[in-house]
Amino acid sequence: MENLKLKHLRLGVNIDHVATLRNARGGMHPSPIAAALLAQKAGADGITAHLREDRRHIKDEDINALKEAIDIPLNFEMAATEEMLKNALRVVPNAACIVPEGREELTTEGGLAVAGHEAKLAPMIDQLKQAGIRVSLFVDADEQELQAAANLGADIVELHTGRYCDSPAGEERQQEARRIAHGARFAHALGLEVHAGHGLSFETVSDIAVLPEIVELNIGHFLIGAAVFTGLEDVIGQMRNLMDEARKQA
Ligand code: PXP
């Protein structure tokens, strides 16, 4: 059995909300590309960006520029649409993470419905994989969804930590953490690479980082928000330390 404890926990920094801030005034500042380069310098293992259908934050030209600028892997979050598939095949990111997308939602509210939607997802996953793009599915820690992801040949599942982070601290949040822990073990046993993300902060990261099957966390909103006060390098450094400390307990 592989020694999970030795696996480095990667930090993917999501820079969408640097673009949100830029778009508030419609100009060039602050630049999500500059943020990505700073994140890379501060120790991020990857950069994540979500090109939404409504282009509310990241724009097409940002994705092109990111791909050119960074030396670490680009994780391209996309809805399961023909338009986004074309974008992914044009950009050829390291990984494409398929997420559900509701036009009215403030953020990605729940995991992707994989079970029951195999006929729609299978050709998309095949085309991405044929282009050399690793395929990740953003799902709830639910056995049925994880099994469906494995059956479809996904390389990765990213477990949705939103409900865990939104739960009040205490037993309710711990129950959610146990659900994610079970999902991580289940997915790993199916041969899937396991990532996690959504809503993670200094307060909530440790109980997820401690799970040995999880090899990557994708974190955005909290880091960008906290960076307003102490800077991106500082918050990435603090998050990195918390992740490393938790990992030692795994
Ligand atoms: N992972 C996925 C698949 C997401 O859709 C998001 C939000 O774009 C994140 C991680 C990051 O979530 P947050 O911005 O709350 O840290």
Side-chain angles (χ1 to χ4, degrees), residues 25-217:
R25 287 292 174 92
M28 307 281 282
H29 174 79
S31 158
I33 316 306
L37 289 172
L38 199 56
Q40 176 177 290
K41 189 165 152 242
D45 299 290
I47 298 295
T48 294
H50 184 178
L51 184 66
R52 291 187 73 104
E53 188 189 12
D54 62 7
R55 310 298 198 269
R56 71 174 69 156
H57 38 57
I58 293 294
K59 297 182 185 299
D60 299 63
E61 51 274 27
D62 294 327
I63 292 290
N64 299 339
L66 274 174
K67 177 79 194 307
E68 283 297 308
I70 61 175
D71 299 320
I72 50 180
L74 173 64
N75 177 34
F76 177 73
E77 288 184 8
M78 56 176 274
T81 64
E82 282 305 317
E83 189 217 351
M84 282 306 147
L85 177 62
K86 277 195 198 123
N87 279 309
L89 295 174
R90 180 176 52 78
V91 175
V92 193
N94 179 267
C97 180
I98 304 181
V99 302
E101 202 175 296
R103 216 171 280 214
E104 304 301 329
E105 69 188 5
L106 286 176
T107 181
T108 312
E109 282 168 0
L112 185 71
V114 182
H117 295 82
E118 288 86 349
K120 178 181 173 189
L121 291 168
M124 202 166 272
I125 291 172
D126 287 348
Q127 285 185 70
L128 291 166
K129 287 179 72 166
Q130 273 170 29
I133 302 167
R134 303 188 75 217
V135 176
S136 173
L137 302 180
F138 186 45
V139 292
D140 288 319
D142 173 284
E143 286 189 7
Q144 202 191 352
E145 299 296 355
L146 297 168
Q147 184 67 61
N151 294 348
L152 278 171
D155 301 289
I156 304 161
V157 281
E158 181 165 328
L159 302 178
H160 198 312
T161 51
R163 189 142 39 111
Y164 156 76
C165 292
D166 289 343
S167 300
E171 180 46 31
E172 216 175 308
R173 194 184 289 163
Q174 285 314 307
Q175 195 179 324
E176 286 299 320
R178 287 194 292 275
R179 204 171 59 83
I180 292 167
H182 175 77
R185 281 193 298 273
F186 188 82
H188 179 76
L190 291 172
L192 290 158
E193 183 172 310
V194 189
H195 299 180
H198 209 283
L200 293 169
S201 66
F202 291 156
E203 191 194 336
T204 52
V205 74
S206 301
D207 286 346
I208 301 301
V210 78
L211 302 174
E213 296 83 4
I214 295 180
V215 298
E216 179 173 310
L217 300 181

